[in-house]
Amino acid sequence: MPNTSHSPFSPPATHDPMSPRLALLMLVALTSGFALSSAFRTVAAILAAPLQADFGLSPQALGLFAATFHFTFGAMQLFMGIGIDLYGVRRTILVAFPLCIAGALLSAMAPGFGLLVLGQALIGVGCAPAFLVCTVFIARHFPAQRFAAMSGMAMALGTLGMLFTGTPLAWVVEQSSWRMGFAVLALLALLAWLWIWRSVHEPATTAASDAPRESVREAVQRFAALFLLPHTWGIVVLGAVSYAALISLRGLWLGPMLIERHGFSLVQSGNVALALSVVALVGPMVFGRLDPGPVTRRRWIVACTLLLALHFGAMALWNSAWLDVVCMLLIGLLSGFIVLQYADVRAAYPAALTGRAMAVFTMAMFLGVAAMQWVTGLIALLAMDAALSDPFAAVMAGIAALLALAALGFGLLPQPPRDMARCEASMS
């Protein structure tokens, strides 16, 4: 396959006319959309109890509610990656994000569980390009050696959205209802869209304007061809589990576990969620600065994944409120190593393929979140049917086992080739 198209992750052929300060301001505007995406993907931790009360949801139905956002988010990564390639960062996010606003309003007004799930699906589609546009923008307008650090900063800023779905959302729900929570999020999403519309204007590069534009069919073929590369599978296996573990805890099980296992109030569990979100905000910046480079980065990734598994295992083995809270906070900090996975993906493919590769990784992450939330909901239901005294122990043990298996797969499956030219030739 000839390499004639411009990839969003390829360095521009000419000097980027955007000043570093302007690029940073635009990146901050883009991260506002990612922050709202982070908020929407973690609402279930606080809304689980009131939703169960209103709609009589089983743990499996609650898992379906939380998973729907992530399934549609992940499934749309292919199309969002192609959209960014063909139409740019600005157009893609501005066209998609209004669906997020519509989905939030539908969720706020939903008379039943079916429309609530449909609202989550719309939110997932609308938020689908939220982080991908940030990584593409960083790769286009910042030096390659700053990719991990800037991605860590973007992830940290995006994590600010999870702060709202802690104590503030719990307070809104207690003062009004879960419907008001969705209404407030819809308003914030509208403000984020207006900020991006007003602030983000990418200058066209010579490479982008001179190169012939790919057709959608060619773009899809290049996307699918990534799965013919053996080392893609190790990246996908771990990508589908590492982030899913954090979001399944923070976005689904944190509230129910603290309330039902330890008798916390909704606001008390919201305080823990807020603290976890603050710690999770710091993690990507820390690991972005500590990035050891390509020689040892993969060993760091495996070690961090196993540490995550140990913390989930500890929560499964010991029913202790203080231990659960400490483990949750440490999981939030450790999960910052996900920024190293993004750096690993960027280094694992030649420049002409990295844009699509990043979309594959992001797709694996969020389809993995959807799958883990559905599976853990099923685990909780089976544990309740088996009359286990603590179904949350089974959920935490299941997540720990998945993390350990993913770390094993990442270590044993084929590694990226050292010769990127040969990798690119194999795609031809």
Side-chain angles (χ1 to χ4, degrees), residues 266-340:
L266 184 62
V267 170
Q268 286 174 328
S269 63
N271 291 337
V272 176
L274 179 65
L276 190 156
S277 300
V278 171
V279 174
L281 185 153
V282 174
M285 292 190 291
V286 171
F287 281 96
R289 295 289 182 182
L290 295 178
D291 181 15
V295 176
T296 58
R297 184 185 292 133
R298 287 198 147 218
R299 289 199 289 271
W300 278 49
I301 290 172
V302 171
C304 289
T305 305
L306 293 175
L307 280 174
L308 277 185
L310 285 175
H311 285 84
F312 278 100
M315 289 191 290
L317 291 173
W318 292 285
N319 187 338
S320 164
W322 72 265
L323 178 66
D324 281 356
V325 171
V326 169
C327 284
M328 287 174 183
L329 296 179
L330 290 175
I331 287 168
L333 180 64
L334 276 171
S335 294
F337 86 89
I338 292 168
V339 73
L340 300 184

Side-chain angles (χ1 to χ4, degrees), residues 8 76-86 132 223 355-356 359:
M76 291 302 295
Q77 290 305 303
L78 162 63
F79 304 102
M80 296 304 167
I82 292 172
I84 291 170
D85 276 359
L86 299 184
L132 192 57
F223 190 97
R356 254 48 70 90

Side-chain angles (χ1 to χ4, degrees), residues 1 8 13 15 72 106 122 138 153 179 189 199 207 212 215 241 251 266 282 287 305 365 401 421 424:
M1 184 181 298
H15 175 68
T72 55
L106 177 60
L122 289 174
I138 291 167
M153 186 201 76
R179 296 181 186 277
S199 303
S215 68
V241 175
L266 184 62
V282 174
F287 281 96
T305 305
M365 284 174 60
E424 191 166 9

Side-chain angles (χ1 to χ4, degrees), residues 27-42 69 73 93 97 100 126-135 138 150-162 188-189 192-193 195-196 243 246-247 280-281 284 338 342 362 365-366:
L27 177 60
V28 172
L30 287 171
T31 58
S32 68
F34 179 49
L36 266 297
S37 172
S38 297
F40 280 115
R41 75 173 58 109
T42 53
F69 169 98
F73 186 109
I93 189 70
F97 208 61
C100 166
C127 290
F131 187 58
L132 192 57
V133 294
C134 295
T135 56
I138 291 167
M150 295 306 299
S151 295
M153 186 201 76
M155 290 185 72
L157 290 175
T159 304
L160 289 172
M162 287 199 288
L188 293 174
W193 184 90
W195 188 8
I196 294 169
Y243 188 63
L246 170 66
I247 297 300
L281 185 153
I338 292 168
Y342 271 100
T362 306
M365 284 174 60
F366 287 93

Side-chain angles (χ1 to χ4, degrees), residues 7-8 49 113-114 116 121 139-140 151-152 167 175 222 253 255-256 281 315 321 361 366 397 403 409 418 421:
S7 166
F113 183 63
L116 183 68
R140 281 180 174 174
S151 295
T167 307
Q175 296 301 310
R222 288 193 171 200
W253 295 111
L281 185 153
M315 289 191 290
F361 176 66
F366 287 93
L403 283 165
R418 295 184 179 180

